[in-house]
Amino acid sequence: MPIGRQANRMAPSDMQISTSEEAVSADTDLKAQDSLRAEESHVLQERNIGVFGAISLVVNKIVGAGIFSTPATIFKLSGSVGMALIIWVIAGLISTCGALVMLELGTRMPRSGGMKVYLEAAFAPKLLITCIYLFYCVFLQVSASNAITTSSYLLQAAGVDSTTWRLRGLAIAASAFAVGIHTVWPRGGKALQDLLSLVKLVILLFIVCTGFAALAGHVPDTHNFDISTSFRGTSNDGYSIGTALLNAIFAFHGYDNVNTVLSEVRNPHKTLRIALPAAMGLITVLYILANIAYFAAVPRDEFLHSEVTIAANLFSNVFGQSAAVKALPALVAISALGHLLGIAFTVPRVIQELGKDGIAPFPNIVMQNRPFRTPIVALLIHLGVTILFTCAPPAGDAFNFVVKLSSYPTTVLLTATTIGLIKLRFSKTPEYNQPTFRAPWPIILFYLAGSIFLVIMPFIPPQGDSETSNLPYWLSPVVALGILGLGFIYYVVPFVLMPLLFGYKLRPTAVELSDGSHVTRYRRKTD
């Protein structure tokens, strides 16, 4: 009994201590949250992207210089006109299915970040996903390849000989222009971006009309569409057909571009429903018609031996050599510059989101959008890495390898995002199960099958003399996966090993902002 009475007497004291500790903890949390409260005008962007702006983001990311040259590569690999066109149709279908996957995810989680947001919602630990995405965004979404393409065609248009450092210097200038205009004059940057997307569509339409002119008899019949010859020479090499499809699908990459900046889109549900199908429909139809135009005016032998953009052969055959030499390089340069502007607009904004997550170095600085209401520090990070990738590797295979690293990791993350969508479909998450657009299951599964093919295909050894580089065929995907793996190390060392070794826990403290995003910081708490 005395023990019981003692216990009863101690209970209120224990409760008081416990309540006091909880009060201190709550007070600490409130102070931590108060310290996180950010002036939203210094962090958030305005919702000023409409339907056409959203379409232009997709057009600028997808339509670069590839459509002017890739068709020749695909024809050489596939072996025939009929098979080449079938490959472009299949690539368009797979990519359109991918756009519908992005449409479902974007309308369910309409905030900036794109695949980062969807992967975090589907997989755990969320922090690991965020760390991996940091390395993807900073190191594998650079603009080096399109900067070099822009400078190369600008030099051709100006009639100036191309040297290594002349090429690199102009590439840096083009990248600096794209980043600079988005930094100090955001309205002007978006207006130029929209204008160039329209110009790209007009260029593609002009190529299509040129093809119809060729079909009407303005050039000798190429006989590429004769029933007896259209499938003649079709390759029976699975590696060649697979590589051709790989190239065609890569030419459609970029349909997730508007998803990365959904917090800046007006009425994102409605805008995304209109913009994504419209952009993908336009691009797919124009790509297929452009290929038909090339085959209408360019004979088979010219396709097989073309060492320049196949569009140059088209223009030369229809309008004469002078027109091809003068006009085409400028048109391709404009297209590549639009791609630069599209990437410079979206990628730094995802880096800004990573600053809000507390993952990027110096997060309080990275997440700010002062003084021009643009993510200036994130833009400078993007420019700095682009310059590094442009200047560091030596000329030749190593340079070509470095500047083309982005396609494979994008495919890996798109595949993971599709698996995440399937996982979320079966989850009980209230946020995800709100009524909105749902992509049909056949579309999701068809896209997943195509994505898995793209992930596996680069590891299949080439046949015979198919390899055109001195570097191993598997090196590009392995290096890309290695860079993503650095994100795993970045997660394990500071967030797992260090707390374990030094006896503390990292406690996330978050404050929600009006656009649905959070400012999160990780604070040490000793046991």
Side-chain angles (χ1 to χ4, degrees), residues 105-169:
L105 289 165
T107 52
R108 290 183 184 276
M109 291 171 270
R111 56 183 181 273
S112 291
M115 287 190 288
K116 166 189 170 297
V117 174
Y118 316 141
L119 292 169
E120 288 172 347
F123 300 107
K126 172 182 172 182
L127 186 56
L128 171 60
I129 301 299
T130 312
C131 291
I132 291 173
Y133 207 85
L134 171 67
F135 279 80
Y136 166 73
C137 202
V138 172
F139 295 106
L140 295 172
Q141 286 291 280
V142 295
S143 306
S145 60
N146 267 276
I148 289 293
T149 300
T150 304
S151 65
S152 174
Y153 282 101
L154 283 174
L155 289 172
Q156 284 187 40
V160 177
D161 291 337
S162 176
T163 63
T164 299
W165 283 105
R166 192 175 284 168
L167 197 67
R168 289 175 173 175

Side-chain angles (χ1 to χ4, degrees), residues 496-505 524 526-527:
V496 178
L497 288 182
M498 297 293 285
L500 190 65
L501 290 174
F502 294 100
Y504 63 87
K505 294 180 180 178
R524 292 189 181 186
T526 56
D527 292 331

Side-chain angles (χ1 to χ4, degrees), residues 208-281:
V208 170
C209 293
T210 302
F212 281 121
L215 287 172
H218 287 271
V219 297
D221 190 352
T222 60
H223 299 288
N224 283 330
F225 299 116
D226 292 351
I227 296 176
S228 59
T229 60
S230 58
F231 282 92
R232 187 184 64 197
T234 298
S235 174
N236 57 7
D237 179 2
Y239 178 84
S240 295
I241 297 296
T243 304
L245 183 57
L246 196 74
N247 279 282
I249 295 176
F250 283 161
F252 282 95
H253 268 185
Y255 42 83
D256 63 317
N257 205 34
V258 68
N259 290 61
T260 62
V261 291
L262 278 180
S263 296
E264 297 181 50
V265 173
R266 293 193 298 267
N267 195 349
H269 290 85
K270 180 180 178 182
T271 300
L272 205 59
R273 282 171 177 266
I274 299 171
L276 269 181
M280 289 307 298

